[in-house]
Amino acid sequence: MLAEMRIQGLGVIDDATLELHPGLTVVTGETGAGKTMVVTGLHLLGGGRADASRVRSGSPRAVVEGRFETTPESPAAKVARDAGADPDEDGSLIAVRNVNADGRSRAHLGGRSVPNAVLSELAEQVLAVHGQNDQLRLLRGGEQRAVLDRFAGDPVLRPLADYQRTRAEWAEAVREITERTERSRELAREADLLRHGLSEIDAVAPEPGEDTALVDEARRLADVDQLREIATGAQHALSGAVDGDPDAPGAMGLIGDARRRLGGAEDPVLREMEPRVAEAAAVLADVGTELGGYLDRLDADPARLEQVLARQAELKQLTKKYAADIDGVLEWAEDARQRLSGMDTSDEALAALAARRDELAVEVAEHAQLVSAARAEAAVRLAGAVTGELVGLAMSQARLEVVVRPRETDDSDASALTVDGRTVHAGPDGVDEVELQLVAHSGAPALPIHKGASGGELSRVMLGLEVVLADADTVPTLVFDEVDAGVGGRAAVEIGRRLARLARTHQVIVVTHLPQVAAYADRHLVVDKGASDGGLTRSDVRTVADEERVAELARMLAGLDSTETGRAHAEELLATASSHKSRDGWTENGERSGRRTKKTTARSRS
């Protein structure tokens, strides 16, 4: 979970530290005080896009620092290890994001500089931020299908994985047969060129490294006289007759004289040197023998030189066309053979491909049916669960319906597939389209939620979904940015109550303007708009409790923080929230009476 966050130079906030509760933390404040900077800071901490306009005027940079409490086995800890980051001494993980006034940003994790993408990966494991943009995303069909799959879990995800794997093979078969059919003439021309090149290479039959070996041999044959002179001179230097003088001693003779002298010495130190000189004599003898053999083989062979030069000319013709050297030519030939194997446009080859395509299509359709059936079953359960939540959110007559239907298409669709006698679009996530529909009241038609729900109702539908999906959500920290917009009265109380229920299994952070929601907080943070400093507003964040909290709730109720009436209303609201939490079996600090379950404790600490 996110235990602490520090914000510096971001918007109206000069320097503030937020200590967050493991349960429900609410952030309140007057309009324009800078509540949204808390969510902006979380977005930056999660690797979001840097915006220079958010840097406080006069500040060189904005800095957001977060301290996450993790366990060594948690996904967040794995992200850190993969990035080479180290936890702090107490096991917590420190993430930092700096945004300069020119818009450039830098990220750090565990004291190590990392790409922003690493913070994004970390955020995927620990944070889920929900705001009005997320509500807009919920209107998209793909997002609604993802919500249903997330709720269904393995009963959908397992057959979906099988479907996706088989679909990839089927799509490749469809692509290949289409390409071979539509490009048959072009492929035939390309195949002719490849065959011609292979025939040229096969006719020459080059060997790996042959061009390099021929260069060495040609040089030796061309320089035979000079090489003989060098070898002969070296041989004479070893055996004697140096510079044509038959009496001149060679190295072998000198070495032999040295051995005799040392071997006959009275001093044992000198005698010990004799074996080493003997070793040198043996090495020189081997060299002399090799020089003799080299000279025997070093006969001038004009015919062989001519053959080598002719072979080099043949190889050069290949290296001009296909690669820089013979090894490259051989690589080209191997690649050409592989390409030719995929260019067969004969009737037999196309028939084999078509058979494989049809076989895979049957398998894909079978997997798609399993996915659709699992989604249909989960849709009934999800609709019922969310409808139950809407009853408690002052939408007692409303009903959510989750419609799963095949996405029909025609044969012109490259991803068309026949399932249960229908031609459907086989997309990467199945053949279904999923739509959330809202029945506003008894007798009303079921309409897509963007048509059947107002802004406030949409917020409540989203919150109901989050409550229902809480057990399926492995992200430990949920952030809601004014999810209660457009809501008031009893519905606001029920939103606060459900956020408190979410806080049983998750850390929940809420930016709100509703006192009915703030009353359920385990920790209440207030963003205060301070005095202007040189024309710039300066805001701070403080934790309120007891009388200060009563005063803040009174202000939120009707700006009556300094009146007895306002304070009485605020105290009544706190008492109501406390009663609800106690009735639900939860104390003020978010702990269940007695103890939490092991599952909940593990999630709260992840």
Side-chain angles (χ1 to χ4, degrees), residues 36-58:
T36 58
M37 288 300 103
V38 174
V39 178
T40 299
L42 287 168
H43 275 296
L44 289 173
L45 206 57
R49 187 177 65 87
D51 188 349
S53 65
R54 295 294 190 180
V55 179
R56 181 175 173 79
S57 181

Side-chain angles (χ1 to χ4, degrees), residues 108-230:
H108 293 81
L109 183 63
R112 179 182 292 272
S113 180
V114 297
N116 286 334
V118 173
L119 292 190
S120 298
E121 188 178 355
L122 176 69
E124 289 178 1
Q125 304 298 331
V126 297
L127 287 173
V129 181
H130 302 284
Q132 294 193 10
N133 288 336
D134 301 273
Q135 293 178 22
L136 293 176
R137 283 205 304 271
L138 188 59
L139 305 182
R140 304 172 189 165
E143 289 292 330
Q144 295 177 16
R145 184 178 56 241
V147 165
L148 176 59
D149 291 352
R150 176 178 155 203
F151 173 77
D154 283 346
V156 165
L157 298 180
R158 281 198 302 268
L160 180 59
D162 294 335
Y163 164 86
Q164 290 171 331
R165 182 177 58 254
T166 309
R167 178 189 176 274
E169 295 180 31
W170 169 71
E172 176 59 24
V174 170
R175 184 202 64 77
E176 188 171 351
I177 195 172
T178 301
E179 181 180 21
R180 291 197 193 186
T181 302
E182 294 179 351
R183 297 181 56 222
S184 59
R185 291 184 179 178
E186 180 183 345
L187 291 174
R189 287 194 298 270
E190 186 178 350
D192 284 343
L193 291 174
L194 292 176
R195 292 191 190 97
H196 176 73
L198 286 173
S199 65
E200 281 192 330
I201 294 172
D202 291 342
V204 175
E207 297 291 335
E210 184 181 359
D211 49 346
T212 302
L214 288 176
V215 168
D216 293 338
E217 186 177 0
R219 183 180 297 115
R220 187 167 57 252
L221 289 169
D223 299 337
V224 63
D225 292 336
Q226 182 181 0
L227 295 174
R228 180 180 290 108
E229 181 182 350
I230 293 171

Side-chain angles (χ1 to χ4, degrees), residues 428-459:
D429 296 304
V431 300
D432 309 307
E433 55 183 10
V434 176
E435 184 174 63
L436 302 182
Q437 297 181 348
L438 186 69
V439 179
H441 55 81
S442 179
L447 297 174
I449 56 174
H450 66 281
K451 294 180 179 179
S454 65
E457 289 172 336
L458 187 58
S459 296

Side-chain angles (χ1 to χ4, degrees), residues 343-482:
M343 290 183 180
D344 189 351
T345 57
S346 65
D347 292 341
E348 294 80 5
L350 293 178
L353 269 177
R356 177 58 177 160
R357 175 200 60 193
D358 295 342
E359 178 185 335
L360 288 169
V362 172
E363 294 183 27
V364 174
E366 292 173 351
H367 291 309
Q369 288 176 312
L370 293 176
V371 174
S372 298
R375 280 177 172 157
E377 187 277 331
V380 175
R381 293 189 290 110
L382 177 61
V386 176
T387 297
E389 291 297 326
L390 295 181
V391 171
L393 291 170
M395 295 176 66
S396 58
Q397 295 187 5
R399 184 176 78 254
L400 184 74
E401 293 185 358
V402 183
V403 179
V404 180
R405 54 176 171 255
R407 185 178 174 184
E408 296 191 18
T409 185
D410 54 41
D411 292 334
S412 64
D413 186 348
S415 297
L417 189 70
T418 301
V419 179
D420 285 339
R422 294 178 176 178
T423 302
V424 297
H425 175 78
D429 296 304
V431 300
D432 309 307
E433 55 183 10
V434 176
E435 184 174 63
L436 302 182
Q437 297 181 348
L438 186 69
V439 179
H441 55 81
S442 179
L447 297 174
I449 56 174
H450 66 281
K451 294 180 179 179
S454 65
E457 289 172 336
L458 187 58
S459 296
R460 281 177 273 177
V461 170
M462 183 175 180
L463 181 59
L465 282 168
E466 281 299 334
V467 173
V468 169
L469 294 171
D471 287 339
D473 201 336
T474 58
V475 177
T477 300
L478 303 176
V479 182
F480 294 92
D481 182 16
E482 297 193 1

